[in-house]
Amino acid sequence: MTMNKDKLRGRIESKEPPRPDQVEKIQAYLSKKYQAPVDLTWQAAPDLSQGFILTLGSEVYDWTPKGKLDQLKAQLDQVPLQEGDYLPLLKDKYSSWQPEAKASQRGVVEEVGDSLAVLSGLDHVEYGETIEFSTGTRGMVMDLQKDAVTAIIFGEDDEIYEGSLARRTGKNAGLPVGEGLKGRIINALGTPLDGGEEIIPQDYYPIEYKAPAILDRAPIHRPLHTGILAIDSMFPIGRGQRELIIGDRQTGKTAIALDTIVNQKDQDVLCIYVAIGQKASSVGRLAEELKAQGAMDYTTIVLASAGETAAMQYIAPYAGCAIGEYFMKTGRDVLIIYDDLSKHAVAYRSISLLMGRSPGREAYPGDIFYLHSRLLERSGQLSSEKGGGSMTALPIVETQSGDVSAYVPTNIISITDGQIFLESKLFFAGQRPAVNVGLSVSRVGGAAQTPAMKKASSSLRLDLAQYREMEVFTQFSSDLDADTRALLAYGASLMEILRQEEYKPRSQHKQIISLLVALNHLLTGLDREDIRPALDQVVAYFEREEGLLMEALDRGQGLDETRKAAILEKAKDFLEGLS
């Protein structure tokens, strides 16, 4: 505000000059509010047919019909929309509404470009607050300086120029959430991208929100089945866990995430897939495949494509997390996939370098670790007092030539509860999913595994480790003894049962039967190409003859020694009958 000997100076804009008594009334109101005398000048504004606009420093009082309508709109926006007749709520809000002398703070754009705007005049704006430009485009404050603030622009900046105005909204950046988001493709602001009908929101959630406190959480103990044998048996994921999927480009990272989504059908888990920096056409094909698998009904896709600005790619994972939090806090289980955080880090690096922040290791700013930790820490298992909901996060990170020691991968490995490492060598050798048993780990472990699966897979990791070690030592040997050949044949049968086609998740009973048969050496006498067909026939036999047992295994009931021996005896007899 402009001061002259402790006097505030303001300006009234209107079509006709105000009367002296009107000026005195306005001066008395402002002097009481700001505890200082106010000097007002008048400026003709022929475009204002009614009312006036009062400017006092960076604060603006809009007492025109448009300003009053904006106040009414803000009031109506607070009415929670719902399916059915909500007109009585709107009428009630309208009938009780009276315009108020509210000041809105406005700033002036000093610089604009690369989806960033530097503004002056927003003296009291907060970090993360949404601002609205005169064009209607919105942005979010990302940097606070002494005389200016920098905001990222959500959309194109073609119509924003130096001298353009922007106003505070008083709201943190967020998006509308609700049940209508299920089955939809939206952008990071909640706008539908699939051409479907308008989404009716039920609440508004900020994209940045503090993570649940320790006392609001409960231990992770319920499994989230991926349907992938290599993961469910050796690296189990619990509801509320954060498990990193990491590997080079084109090694099947997204395939694992999508198989996990498909496997949540009829499991009462809502899924959110956040696509960051991907081709919109690729995400469209992905959505069609999910629809074909019957998985789109419980899935929301948040898309910030490669063609969108770095600002939209930056807020996309936070927007997806806000949607997940809404469902989690209603007591439901959520699975969220960030594909991928490598591109998210690059988007943030671009924004930071344009804002003039000092680059650090690999040109990333020093707060890149905090960027992802405050995102992933919002996942977890809530206590029963907080509704008992959960949000499981599967972030995806791309490595270069298998280098897990790079800056962003090491950061996210240290944040998450384990990682599934996909190896290029295994992938190109046809071992898919290409899970590296040695570098993968789940720090939740058996706490999120059913007793039957825990018992069936007890020796799998050790046996595979011995096989991989023996395979390396004997790859150049031509004369092998019988024990070594038997060990290699056994290991090869284990690797074969771990092979799995995309979009074909396996049920718990199929996984358990497969492990029992393979780990008890019932498949070692078969040729490698005959292992999976024979195993499919064994499983089909048990599904046909032992339906109640299969249902019990799916429910996670224990596998005692008597039941285990009976399964092995029947499987052995069946396989002998095939030969």
Side-chain angles (χ1 to χ4, degrees):
M1 299 179 185
T2 305
M3 289 193 179
N4 184 17
K5 295 182 180 180
D6 297 326
K7 180 180 287 189
L8 304 179
R9 300 185 61 184
R11 181 180 72 250
I12 298 176
E13 299 176 53
S14 60
K15 186 174 183 179
E16 301 291 339
R19 301 190 308 271
D21 62 312
Q22 291 176 323
V23 174
E24 290 178 5
K25 187 175 179 180
I26 294 172
Q27 284 178 320
Y29 171 80
L30 295 175
S31 297
K32 181 179 179 181
K33 179 177 180 179
Y34 295 104
Q35 298 296 305
V38 178
D39 185 18
L40 297 176
T41 58
W42 173 73
Q43 179 177 318
D47 295 337
L48 297 180
S49 59
Q50 298 181 45
F52 63 90
I53 296 176
L54 169 63
T55 304
L56 196 66
S58 62
E59 294 188 345
V60 178
Y61 294 83
D62 192 341
W63 205 249
T64 64
K66 180 182 181 301
K68 295 175 183 178
L69 285 174
D70 287 342
Q71 280 193 37
L72 176 60
K73 180 179 180 297
Q75 289 290 320
L76 295 180
D77 284 343
Q78 297 177 12
V79 177
L81 297 182
Q82 57 193 21
E83 294 184 2
D85 188 10
Y86 52 84
L87 287 177
L89 294 174
L90 298 178
K91 290 180 179 178
D92 181 65
K93 199 77 173 178
Y94 174 76
S95 61
S96 61
W97 172 77
Q98 290 291 334
E100 300 178 48
K102 287 185 177 180
S104 63
Q105 196 174 59
R106 296 186 182 179
V108 179
V109 175
E110 302 292 341
E111 299 177 29
V112 64
D114 297 312
S115 297
L116 291 176
V118 179
L119 304 102
S120 61
L122 297 176
D123 301 332
H124 305 294
V125 74
E126 299 178 358
Y127 180 87
E129 182 177 339
T130 300
I131 60 171
E132 184 175 350
F133 295 92
S134 54
T135 61
T137 303
R138 296 203 166 199
M140 183 178 77
V141 176
M142 284 285 289
D143 192 51
L144 301 174
Q145 300 173 7
K146 183 177 180 181
D147 301 317
V149 300
T150 303
I152 55 177
I153 302 172
F154 299 148
E156 300 297 330
D157 56 14
D158 299 344
E159 298 181 0
I160 301 174
Y161 305 97
E162 293 183 18
S164 297
L165 297 178
R167 69 176 184 88
R168 291 183 61 188
T169 63
K171 296 171 66 176
N172 289 333
L175 77 164
V177 296
E179 300 294 330
L181 291 174
K182 291 187 291 187
R184 304 300 300 272
I185 304 175
I186 61 172
N187 69 6
L189 300 177
T191 305
L193 301 176
D194 52 11
E197 60 186 22
E198 183 181 355
I199 299 172
I200 298 178
Q202 293 170 297
D203 204 345
Y204 180 89
Y205 252 66
I207 61 173
E208 293 271 16
Y209 200 79
K210 63 181 181 180
I214 293 175
L215 295 179
D216 294 336
R217 298 175 184 255
I220 296 172
H221 62 281
R222 296 179 298 144
L224 184 136
H225 300 303
T226 66
I228 301 172
L229 178 59
I231 296 175
D232 290 343
S233 60
M234 294 182 285
F235 318 107
I237 298 173
R239 300 192 182 193
Q241 188 175 342
R242 302 156 299 173
E243 183 80 1
L244 172 64
I245 303 174
I246 185 170
D248 286 358
R249 186 174 179 270
Q250 297 293 329
T251 52
K253 300 184 297 296
T254 301
I256 285 180
L258 296 182
D259 280 348
T260 305
I261 291 177
V262 171
N263 198 54
Q264 302 316 306
K265 188 174 183 179
D266 301 325
Q267 300 297 315
D268 198 25
V269 176
L270 300 174
C271 301
I272 302 166
Y273 178 80
V274 183
I276 308 165
Q278 300 183 37
K279 292 181 181 179
S281 58
S282 300
V283 178
R285 289 193 297 271
L286 180 151
E288 288 299 321
E289 187 60 46
L290 288 178
K291 188 178 294 184
Q293 298 291 334
M296 200 61 199
D297 294 339
Y298 53 85
T299 302
T300 301
I301 296 178
V302 180
L303 172 61
S305 68
E308 295 201 59
T309 62
M312 294 295 281
Q313 294 183 39
Y314 165 70
I315 68 167
Y318 296 102
C321 190
I323 298 170
E325 281 180 322
Y326 167 77
F327 291 122
M328 176 178 68
K329 291 180 180 178
T330 59
R332 284 175 281 185
D333 295 315
V334 179
L335 168 66
I336 184 165
I337 293 157
Y338 304 109
D339 191 7
D340 64 63
L341 292 187
S342 301
K343 294 185 179 69
H344 180 243
V346 170
Y348 183 68
R349 177 172 63 185
S350 301
I351 293 172
S352 297
L353 294 178
L354 288 170
M355 288 193 299
R357 293 180 178 173
S358 300
R361 180 178 165 188
E362 299 179 23
Y364 289 104
D367 61 343
I368 192 75
F369 179 90
Y370 179 56
L371 179 79
H372 290 141
S373 65
R374 73 175 189 256
L375 170 69
L376 295 172
E377 288 291 344
R378 291 160 70 178
S379 301
Q381 169 68 60
L382 295 182
S383 63
S384 56
E385 291 79 8
K386 292 296 180 178
S390 72
M391 182 158 62
T392 308
L394 296 183
I396 295 176
V397 167
E398 184 178 302
T399 55
Q400 303 292 328
S401 300
D403 183 14
V404 295
S405 64
Y407 190 35
V408 171
T410 51
N411 279 346
I412 301 178
I413 286 173
S414 66
I415 297 168
T416 51
D417 307 314
Q419 68 275 348
I420 297 168
F421 181 74
L422 302 182
E423 186 180 346
S424 300
K425 182 180 177 181
L426 288 174
F427 183 84
F428 294 122
Q431 185 67 38
R432 303 175 186 178
V435 178
N436 182 303
V437 177
L439 294 179
S440 301
V441 66
S442 173
R443 297 187 183 94
V444 171
Q449 204 170 30
T450 63
M453 177 61 78
K454 192 182 300 185
K455 190 175 187 65
S457 62
S458 57
S459 64
L460 179 58
R461 289 194 68 181
L462 179 59
D463 291 350
L464 283 173
Q466 290 175 341
Y467 165 69
R468 292 294 300 271
E469 184 180 11
M470 185 62 68
E471 187 184 34
V472 170
F473 281 124
T474 60
Q475 60 182 330
F476 300 113
S477 301
S478 58
D479 186 20
L480 301 176
D481 59 77
D483 290 341
T484 302
R485 285 197 300 271
L487 178 59
L488 292 175
Y490 170 59
S493 69
L494 295 182
M495 296 296 287
E496 192 63 30
I497 71 163
L498 294 179
R499 291 193 185 191
Q500 199 165 328
E501 296 178 15
E502 192 174 358
Y503 298 120
K504 290 188 178 179
R506 300 179 188 176
S507 61
Q508 277 287 289
H509 73 260
K510 186 171 184 177
Q511 292 183 11
I512 292 169
I513 296 296
S514 300
L515 289 170
L516 288 176
V517 171
L519 290 174
N520 285 275
H521 300 262
L522 299 185
L523 301 174
T524 52
L526 300 174
D527 293 334
R528 190 159 188 168
E529 61 271 13
D530 296 331
I531 289 177
R532 279 191 291 170
L535 192 57
D536 290 339
Q537 293 184 57
V538 172
V539 174
Y541 164 76
F542 276 100
E543 290 174 341
R544 184 173 61 251
E545 301 294 332
E546 301 287 345
L548 293 178
L549 174 59
M550 300 301 101
E551 291 178 8
L553 294 179
D554 285 337
R555 291 195 299 268
Q557 293 182 2
L559 185 67
D560 56 34
E561 289 299 327
T562 303
R563 186 174 291 177
K564 177 181 175 181
I567 290 174
L568 291 175
E569 185 65 29
K570 292 181 180 180
K572 184 178 179 181
D573 293 342
F574 183 83
L575 287 170
E576 288 177 352
L578 291 178
S579 58

